[in-house]
Structure formats: structure tokens, C-alpha cells
Amino acid sequence: MFGALRLPHTILFGGGQRHVIGAAAARIGTRTLVCTDSRLAQLDVFADLLKDLAAHGVEARVYDRTIADLPIESITECVASVGDFKPDSIIGIGGGSCIDMAKVVSVLLTHGGEVSAYYGEFAVPGPVLPLIAVPTTAGTGSEVTPVAVILDSGRGTKIGIASPYIIPHMAVCDPELTMTCPKGLTACSGADALAHAVEGFTSKTRTPEPMLTEQHVFIGKNLLSDHFAKLAVVNVFRYLARACTDGSDVEAREGLMLASLAAGCAFGTSGTAAAHALQYPVGNLTHTSHGDGVGALLPFVMQFNRSANPEAFAELADVVGLGDAGMSVDQRSQLFIDEVATLFAAIGIPRSLAALGLGAGHEQDVAAGALKAERLVKNNPRPLDLAAMLNITQAAFAGERAALRDL
């Protein structure tokens, strides 16, 4: 038996928990930088956060120009806007890009240099400014993970910064902040959470050598990450369609945010795999949301990976109540993959890369680009080379999962 987890110092979950942020920031210091986006900055809930900080004697500097996909230029602009403010902490409130902004800015304010100096794994040399992460969507799990993904415009691709040092000090997960998420955002965020959980649970199992966690940020499938992954899968199946149908369903919103949090706890240690690797070039070419991209890709990646560990997919079928005791492992594993595809179709996730907007003739570019995400490729349970990536991409473009069943 072997397990490992890397998590924040404190995780708070539940309605109204955002009201602790002022007191929590005051325990760290008297100045905080708040990273958010222009939409959230106009809401009453954001004004209430600033009042809470002020009431606890914390001076706040606000950067509210975070944009989706986090282009490197916006990070540089945020750092420049801080000037001589010298914050004691950083609060990231919003979707995954706002929290990732806070992570990268904490690195630059602490250690200096260019963003590109920290690409890859373990490049952050030491602790950073304490982060308080406050998600307002239920999908990325960034509030508990050691990774930030940015868009390097010069290279034309998304790149990850992965280091245990950028795990937030505190994660405050308040489902009330997700109540106004529109159906499309709820759907793609939930698809992202399920992709995190499934890829974490089915990722490559490594030999549990004592130095494993020192040599890899993401260590693959293990006992402890599996626990959180299964919780996430159960809750996505139970609550995602409900939240998409009725955004005012409080129980569904709570269950979905718990799924996102649990999925983050899982993949923050285990890591993700081919669906996320392929989404990098797909997102660059289509300019579509990350959740729609991984959601469109996940059933095809699962189909390709099923032969490497059918027992894992069958176990996920069991935990969500699919199939029966008389079904074989192969039947239950296939049933789970089919049900994920059915769920995603029901909530409006594109069923193919063509439906997502990828133009014909880009399959080779996508396959080659995905192989550059080495931390994800090495985590896939089935070996990946250009031919394998191309097989997945071509099947996903055409929307033909059956083409991958016998590969």
C-alpha cells in the first residue's frame, strides 16, 4: 500500500465560508494583493470581501484584469501594478485563471525573474507569499493544486508551472459563489472536474520508491489520491446534470463544488494525462474553453487507455452504481466510458473535436503538440508516441470512439 497527498495548510468548504477571509488574511499580515477579473470585481460579493479585509485591518490592492487562459502579458502587468506595495499575502478569487494568476505572481514577487524561468516541474526555488484561493467556479480545483497553467503568447502554447511551493496556504470553497454560474460554464467546469478525477484515478502507477515525491510533482495513481478521485466521480454523476438544469439547486451546487475540490485533491498529487495534454494544442487552435476541450477528448482518451487498466474503469462504474455483479470487468469498464459520453452529451459538451471547432487537417499538429506536455504524457497509463496521439486525435475529430476499441 502506498499513498501521498500534497494539500493546502487549511481547506474550508461550505456555504458562507468566504466570510472568514478577512480574519485569515489578518493572521498573515496587514497588506494583501487581490487577483480577480473585471466581471467579479463589479459584484456585491467582491465589495463585501474588501469590506471584510478592511474591517480586519488589512489593506488591499486589487488587480481586476485577469483574463481567461492567463496570457503571460497579463501576469507581467499584474506584477508591475503592485509597485512598492509589498503584500504579505495574495488572494486569488474567481475561476482557475484568477487563482493561477495569484500563484504565478506570488512566485515573481518572491523570487523575481521572468515567468519562463519557472516552466516545468520543481523550478520554483523556495516558498512563496502565502496564497488564499477562493474559487467561484466548480471545475479547475486550482485552489488545492501545485500547478498553474499560462499562455505563452510568444511560443503560441499553454505551459505549466508545477511546484509544491505554489499550493495555496488556504482554500476557501464557498458553493454560494457558484450560484450565478450560467449553464454553459457549469457544464464545462464540471466536465473538467470529472476529467481530473478520472485521469487521476486511471493514471500510471509508479513504483513507490522513497524519493518518488522528490523527483516528480505528479506521482500517478495511489491509495490516497484514489479516495478523493472516487468522491469526485460520484458527485459529478450525482449533481452535474442537476446543476445544469437548475442553477438555483443549492444541493447540486454544493455537491458539484465538493466534486471539484475532491478532484483537485486527487490530481494535485496523482496528475492528469492524455486528455489534458491534447487539450493544450486543441485550445490554442480553437480558442474554446478548457473544460469543453477536455470534456470532448475524455471519452476518446478513456477508450484508448481502457486496455491498460480495465479494472480501474470498472471500479469507477461500480462506485457510481453502473452495471451489476454478473458483468465482466471489460463490460463494466466499457459501460463507464459510455456513460461519461452520455452525460457530457446531455449537458452540451461537444461530442467531437470537429464539433468543438477544430478545422480539418490539424490532427497531426495536435498530436505533435500534445507530446510536448511531458509531465502529462509520462503520466498516461498507456504509452504514448506520435502514432498513438494521432490515433486518439483522429478518432476524436471524427467522433468515432469505436475506432479506438481494438487498438
Side-chain angles (χ1 to χ4, degrees), residues 85-403:
F85 180 61
K86 296 182 180 179
D88 302 305
S89 65
I90 301 181
I91 298 172
I93 178 169
S97 291
C98 293
I99 296 173
D100 285 359
M101 169 71 87
K103 289 178 175 179
V104 181
V105 169
S106 72
V107 173
L108 296 179
L109 291 181
T110 305
H111 300 291
E114 300 294 325
V115 177
S116 59
Y118 304 103
Y119 290 167
E121 294 186 305
F122 292 118
V124 178
V128 300
L129 288 171
L131 297 168
I132 299 176
V134 190
T136 61
T137 61
T140 71
S142 185
E143 68 272 12
V144 294
T145 68
V147 64
V149 179
I150 68 167
L151 175 62
D152 188 318
S153 307
R155 302 187 188 195
T157 188
K158 292 181 181 179
I159 299 179
I161 295 173
S163 167
Y165 289 124
I166 65 173
I167 297 173
H169 174 76
M170 171 181 278
V172 180
C173 303
D174 188 334
E176 292 175 2
L177 296 175
T178 70
M179 295 299 293
T180 59
C181 284
K183 177 182 177 180
L185 180 57
T186 300
C188 71
S189 297
D192 191 22
L194 186 60
H196 291 153
V198 170
E199 290 209 295
F201 190 79
T202 60
S203 59
K204 182 178 180 179
T205 302
R206 293 189 173 92
T207 303
E209 299 170 344
M211 291 296 290
L212 180 61
T213 56
E214 298 299 314
Q215 296 170 345
H216 302 275
V217 174
F218 302 105
I219 64 167
K221 180 178 176 65
N222 68 85
L223 181 70
L224 294 177
S225 65
D226 280 357
H227 169 77
F228 286 101
K230 288 190 286 188
L231 172 60
V233 171
V234 168
N235 271 27
V236 169
F237 266 79
R238 184 176 295 161
Y239 296 114
L240 178 54
R242 276 177 55 179
C244 290
T245 300
D246 180 6
S248 64
D249 185 333
V250 175
E251 183 182 46
R253 291 295 192 184
E254 290 177 336
L256 202 52
M257 178 164 262
L258 182 59
S260 175
L261 170 62
C265 292
F267 93 87
T269 302
S270 65
T272 53
H276 280 76
L278 285 160
Q279 163 54 21
Y280 280 11
V282 167
N284 293 336
L285 289 166
T286 63
H287 305 290
T288 51
S289 76
H290 173 79
D292 278 338
V294 293
L297 286 158
L298 183 63
F300 300 93
V301 170
M302 288 193 295
Q303 195 69 62
F304 176 82
N305 284 335
R306 184 173 74 106
S307 62
N309 191 351
E311 292 81 7
F313 291 103
E315 186 174 352
L316 292 180
D318 295 341
V319 300
V320 296
L322 298 173
D324 56 57
M327 296 178 68
S328 68
V329 167
D330 282 346
Q331 289 173 319
R332 288 171 12 245
S333 62
Q334 187 61 55
L335 181 59
F336 178 77
I337 296 170
D338 293 344
E339 286 296 316
V340 170
T342 299
L343 171 62
F344 283 179
I347 62 173
I349 300 297
R351 299 189 188 194
S352 69
L353 293 181
L356 187 70
L358 184 69
H362 288 291
E363 296 91 332
Q364 186 82 23
D365 294 335
V366 168
L371 287 174
K372 296 178 182 178
E374 294 180 7
R375 66 181 172 85
L376 304 174
V377 171
K378 71 182 182 181
N379 213 36
N380 202 67
R382 188 174 172 186
L384 293 168
D385 56 16
L386 182 59
M389 283 293 199
L390 189 57
N391 282 330
I392 298 171
T393 306
Q394 289 173 334
F397 180 80
E400 296 291 344
R401 274 191 297 122

